[in-house]
Amino acid sequence: MHYLFRFGQPFETGALLEKPEIESGEKLKDKADLHFDEKLNKWILRFDLKDTDVVYGLGEAMRGINKRGWEYISDNLDDWSITEDRRNLYGSHNFLILQSDSSIGLFIDTPEKVRFDISYTRQDEMIIEFGLDTDVLLLEGKDPQEIAMEFRSLIGQSWIPPLFAFGFGQSRWEYATKADFEEIARLYDELDLPLDMIYMDIDYMDRYKDFTFSKEFSDFEKFVEDFKKKKLHLIPIIDAGVKKEDGYAVYEEGVKNNYFVKMPDGKTDFVGAVWPGYALFPDFFNPEAARWFGNQYKVLTDAGIDGFWNDMNEPALFYSQPGMDELRDWLKDYVKKGPEAYEMFALENHVGAIKNSREDYRLMHHQVDGKWISHEKLHNLYGMKMTDAAAEAFKDLRPGLRTLMFSRSSYIGMHRNAGIWTGDNSSWWSHILLILHQLPALSMCGFLYSGCDLGGFGKDTTRDLSIRFMQLGVFTPLMRNHSASGTRRQEPYQFEHPEDFRHLLFCRYRLIPWLYSEYLKASVNNTMLFSPLSFIWKDDEFAREVEDQLMIGDEMMITPVYTQNAKGRMVWLPESMRKITMKPDGTILQEMMDAGHHYIAYPENELIFFLRKDAILPLAAPALRTADIDFDHLELIGAPKGTYTLWMDDGQSIDASVTKRVLVR
Ligand code: MIG
């Protein structure tokens, strides 16, 4: 059951496929205290929480699977220091489930800021604060799993990527020359490391101009072709900002047609600085501008590109032209004051505030149905709008074919067109747990194709950290090693014993038929790809406390190691389960274990996971490319007897029909 409550005149975000009929507020008041706070000019929804209640959700957010104990703010932000105290990340996914005696779901549908105080101010309270123009969807169901499924059915089917997107990808923000890319392909091949994708970060462009190539890549089409022959896909990045430069066609066309975000006067283009220097921002809310920007991807699809990642689309602003002018004046005054009047914090704050500034977001204006609306009112939708524009264009640019695409910024609804990666994590042990916490919350919001930068993006990695990241990454649909320029290099061959990485990659490729099948099922049936254990063992009180184990589909449980120097970890089995160990020599150990707590040794050169006792798991023979995986000859492991229904399609066309093959053991 679900009910929609409307406050003011909400902007149509497109998250819900259809708007249900609007209910009177009474039903909502049954569940919570609702009042208007004059001072804040916001609505406040307040819930009493019992000690045993759990709150799940919020998609890409900080902290645990149980969101209690922190405050979260939906306000898409590019900030690459993802520390525990962060309140907002790159995406806004305003859906949560409160599990109490009965369970409810809540979706706060607005592009504006929303604040979720979940046992932050008071342990026994949840407070949700939202603006004047907001839709609130309330869901009721018998348990969190049912509510999540109902929500998913209301927001529409999750996007299905091409099959190759389930292969492994190597990336690094530093690869710039042809030789860089060729070397990766060569070393992966020499070491027999499976690979499907190599990512091209901003340095392939001519001075960070979208849809252009640096001199290196003047014969880009031929370059792409050479990789295709090796069955490798090159996946370029696209940034939201368009360089302001006379003679640059994208810039000139956009200016001529008023396709860029404007200042409040609706006439002057808003100018902000990002990688290319001063840049203009496409107004994706103007359908014509969105169509135009989407069609720019043609330069790349014509050259044979079949995958993209969209970056900097919160949008990230290093600073704006007006902001820099103001800072310059402020600094002149500051310097005049002389050293005795210098105030360190004032300086730091003033300079720091120039980045991703609210004032700039207020200045930016979009054209919506002929009216000018401040970006501030629409902020959390910008990244989704960019990505949706590209998805729309692909229908013409790559008719009938699926295109790999994932975005950094997102809002619910974008899951119908693309995936996300979780942005600039760091080479920290805590960030293995972070993605583990984010995955089930993302499943709840339909973002099935996702993953984090394996090995960590910022800071220096270590071999063991990279391996532990990979042991989890084997199970995430997006499996990509990516790192920031200047950090320690982290391709598998940078470390001793690269064969340990090879083994994990082989495990991944052996699991792809199963992972793809589970993905299709989750997308078509609106089910969770990743779940907290409590979604399955619903009445088990301990299951609600488990923050370091996950279910994939209904039958597999993963238990990654996430602490340094650990040779294993404690694992909780909610029932008797089968432990599967994939050994480096290719053998597979299967061992039934009793319910309860166990210490499990987890060496770096093995892959370990658990299956429910009746589960059957299909495994392909190891392969170096997804295209070489033999889906017709699968080995079945797990229960001595039983079946697995393998879902499969052609892996590339949009309207591919799904075949369901019952594999019998
Ligand atoms: O300001 O393109 O999250 O993956 O390597 C940094 C360079 C811009 C941020 C992305 C990251 C990417 C980087 N980008």
Side-chain angles (χ1 to χ4, degrees):
M1 291 297 281
H2 56 268
Y3 312 90
L4 183 70
F5 307 96
R6 176 153 294 173
F7 298 82
Q9 291 175 298
F11 185 82
E12 178 54 65
T13 64
L16 297 173
L17 286 183
E18 282 170 41
K19 288 275 159 146
E21 240 172 77
I22 295 163
E23 310 272 337
S24 85
E26 293 312 306
K27 177 92 195 161
L28 190 58
K29 287 182 181 155
D30 281 356
K31 304 278 171 195
D33 299 332
L34 172 70
H35 74 269
F36 186 72
D37 186 314
E38 305 275 349
K39 264 216 321 269
L40 295 170
N41 205 27
K42 302 255 186 199
W43 287 99
I44 310 280
L45 253 184
R46 201 193 68 84
F47 297 81
D48 287 319
L49 299 185
K50 287 203 309 260
D51 217 32
T52 47
D53 291 353
V54 181
V55 179
Y56 303 98
L58 299 184
E60 178 190 82
M62 294 308 296
R63 302 277 172 144
I65 291 176
N66 183 351
K67 304 316 282 187
R68 291 184 69 171
W70 193 238
E71 177 188 57
Y72 310 86
I73 295 174
S74 295
D75 188 15
N76 296 354
L77 178 69
D78 167 34
D79 179 344
W80 70 347
S81 172
I82 303 185
T83 46
E84 206 176 317
D85 56 327
R86 285 285 300 279
R87 285 167 165 79
N88 47 333
L89 297 176
Y90 307 91
S92 289
H93 308 139
N94 303 334
F95 176 59
L96 57 79
I97 296 175
L98 166 57
Q99 181 181 35
S100 188
D101 300 335
S102 59
S103 296
I104 58 163
L106 282 167
F107 175 44
I108 315 297
D109 194 11
T110 166
E112 292 181 78
K113 254 196 212 181
V114 181
R115 195 175 72 89
F116 299 88
D117 174 337
I118 309 180
S119 300
Y120 172 68
T121 305
R122 284 184 61 100
Q123 292 217 22
D124 58 358
E125 265 185 9
M126 171 164 78
I127 289 168
I128 306 177
E129 184 185 296
F130 51 87
L132 299 181
D133 300 310
T134 303
D135 271 344
V136 174
L137 184 78
L138 170 75
L139 297 100
E140 286 176 338
K142 73 175 189 310
D143 56 52
Q145 198 182 33
E146 191 184 272
I147 291 173
M149 273 181 78
E150 176 154 356
F151 181 61
R152 290 268 304 281
S153 74
L154 296 173
I155 57 173
Q157 194 190 324
S158 297
W159 173 71
I160 299 174
L163 178 64
F164 75 78
F166 287 79
F168 184 61
Q170 179 60 54
S171 183
R172 180 170 171 85
W173 172 19
E174 215 166 69
Y175 304 151
T177 65
K178 280 184 173 173
D180 289 339
F181 294 96
E182 284 155 0
E183 185 191 59
I184 299 157
R186 184 172 57 77
L187 290 174
Y188 266 81
D189 279 352
E190 277 176 19
L191 291 164
D192 264 343
L193 296 162
L195 185 70
D196 266 81
M197 291 157 284
I198 303 179
Y199 286 81
M200 306 186 86
D201 209 319
I202 45 177
D203 293 304
Y204 77 87
M205 301 181 214
D206 171 24
R207 289 169 301 127
Y208 309 133
K209 290 189 291 187
D210 277 340
F211 314 112
T212 70
F213 306 101
S214 71
K215 281 209 196 71
E216 275 290 306
F217 299 103
S218 49
D219 53 350
F220 193 66
E221 200 173 325
K222 161 96 185 13
F223 186 67
V224 176
E225 188 56 40
D226 289 345
F227 279 79
K228 264 198 190 152
K229 284 188 195 131
K230 301 182 196 124
K231 298 188 208 160
L232 290 175
H233 302 254
L234 293 170
I235 314 293
I237 197 170
I238 302 291
D239 280 4
V242 169
K243 186 175 176 62
K244 183 173 187 295
E245 183 181 87
D246 291 336
Y248 168 34
V250 184
Y251 163 73
E252 290 194 338
E253 253 177 65
V255 168
K256 193 176 78 208
N257 295 299
N258 291 313
Y259 288 157
F260 293 117
V261 167
K262 300 280 187 189
M263 293 291 279
D265 64 7
K267 294 198 180 81
T268 328
D269 289 314
F270 172 87
V271 183
V274 260
W275 289 106
Y278 277 137
L280 274 55
F281 296 83
D283 182 3
F284 301 113
F285 291 90
N286 168 356
E288 212 183 296
R291 217 171 301 127
W292 163 78
F293 189 84
N295 277 320
Q296 304 301 316
Y297 284 71
K298 186 170 192 294
V299 181
L300 293 150
T301 53
D302 278 355
I305 292 296
D306 50 12
F308 297 92
W309 47 314
N310 292 338
D311 191 19
M312 304 294 277
N313 51 6
E314 292 70 28
L317 289 178
F318 296 167
Y319 53 86
S320 69
Q321 203 165 44
M324 187 51 102
D325 292 345
E326 192 275 339
L327 178 62
R328 212 175 278 125
D329 292 342
W330 187 88
L331 283 172
K332 267 189 219 143
D333 277 357
Y334 183 82
V335 173
K336 263 192 234 143
K337 282 184 199 152
E340 56 285 357
Y342 284 168
E343 218 261 88
M344 190 56 211
F345 289 121
L347 177 65
E348 255 180 32
N349 290 343
H350 212 95
V351 174
I354 199 167
K355 210 179 160 208
N356 300 321
S357 126
R358 278 234 90 69
E359 261 156 65
D360 288 333
Y361 291 146
R362 229 168 270 143
L363 285 181
M364 299 171 74
H365 275 68
H366 298 280
Q367 211 174 341
V368 183
D369 299 330
K371 282 201 243 66
W372 290 101
I373 301 189
S374 166
H375 176 83
E376 208 196 6
K377 307 274 294 171
L378 306 172
H379 178 68
N380 290 338
L381 301 182
Y382 191 77
M384 166 168 84
K385 285 284 183 182
M386 172 189 184
T387 302
D388 287 353
E392 194 54 37
F394 295 156
K395 291 182 185 163
D396 293 330
L397 300 178
R398 295 176 36 80
L401 291 173
R402 293 182 223 163
T403 305
L404 167 61
M405 178 164 56
F406 52 90
S407 170
R408 193 171 68 179
S409 184
S410 59
Y411 186 85
I412 294 175
M414 200 195 81
H415 70 287
R416 298 190 294 264
N417 286 324
I420 62 170
W421 94 101
T422 52
D424 298 343
N425 67 353
S426 285
S427 298
W428 293 335
W429 290 90
S430 60
H431 279 186
I432 298 181
L433 261 189
L434 179 61
I435 183 66
L436 189 100
H437 293 164
Q438 289 170 329
L439 286 166
L442 288 169
S443 273
M444 285 170 55
C445 304
F447 289 102
L448 301 186
Y449 191 79
S450 55
C452 69
D453 290 350
L454 298 175
F457 174 76
K459 315 290 188 287
D460 293 330
T461 197
T462 54
R463 181 184 184 277
D464 54 345
L465 178 66
S466 289
I467 284 268
R468 296 307 190 184
F469 256 116
M470 290 272 283
Q471 284 172 334
L472 173 55
V474 161
F475 300 99
T476 59
L478 167 62
M479 186 188 189
R480 179 175 80 140
N481 175 336
H482 180 49
S483 53
S485 89
T487 60
R488 181 179 183 181
R489 296 203 54 153
Q490 60 186 38
E491 298 87 354
Y493 41 80
Q494 305 293 345
F495 304 105
E496 67 272 25
H497 298 298
E499 66 275 14
D500 292 351
F501 289 88
R502 177 197 307 144
H503 173 58
L504 293 176
L505 289 171
F506 275 143
C507 288
R508 162 66 169 217
Y509 278 64
R510 299 196 67 183
L511 284 162
I512 284 177
W514 163 82
L515 185 59
Y516 190 67
S517 168
E518 291 300 310
Y519 190 101
L520 291 179
K521 289 177 192 176
S523 166
V524 170
N525 298 331
N526 296 316
T527 50
M528 301 282 283
L529 185 57
F530 297 94
S531 321
L533 269 54
S534 56
F535 274 40
I536 293 176
W537 290 277
K538 301 172 204 277
D539 301 320
D540 193 308
E541 268 175 41
F542 187 72
R544 297 184 184 192
E545 286 184 41
V546 178
E547 291 272 343
D548 60 358
Q549 306 181 186
L550 280 186
M551 292 297 291
I552 309 181
D554 293 329
E555 299 186 315
M556 181 189 283
M557 185 172 77
I558 57 168
T559 59
V561 166
Y562 53 90
T563 45
Q564 189 141 34
N565 299 317
K567 305 266 184 278
R569 52 163 287 174
M570 292 304 296
V571 166
W572 178 64
L573 303 185
E575 61 188 33
S576 96
M577 289 178 119
R578 188 169 274 108
K579 177 184 168 217
I580 307 291
T581 307
M582 297 178 79
K583 303 282 261 182
D585 65 1
T587 55
I588 295 173
L589 304 184
Q590 311 191 49
E591 180 195 345
M592 276 309 289
M593 296 187 68
D594 292 337
H597 297 268
H598 302 267
Y599 178 80
I600 301 288
Y602 197 153
E604 287 171 7
N605 62 354
E606 294 181 357
L607 187 74
I608 292 176
F609 54 89
F610 294 84
L611 294 176
R612 296 184 80 174
K613 77 174 184 320
D614 296 326
I616 300 282
L617 178 77
L619 288 176
L624 290 167
R625 302 280 186 267
T626 49
D628 297 335
I629 295 174
D630 182 354
F631 279 74
D632 293 327
H633 298 94
L634 301 174
E635 178 189 347
L636 301 181
I637 63 166
K641 258 192 171 151
T643 59
Y644 178 83
T645 306
L646 184 83
W647 288 33
M648 185 54 199
D649 63 13
D650 72 5
Q652 54 173 2
S653 42
I654 286 172
D655 296 322
S657 53
V658 176
T659 58
K660 300 170 189 175
R661 234 185 327 138
V662 180
L663 308 173
V664 184
R665 188 172 195 203

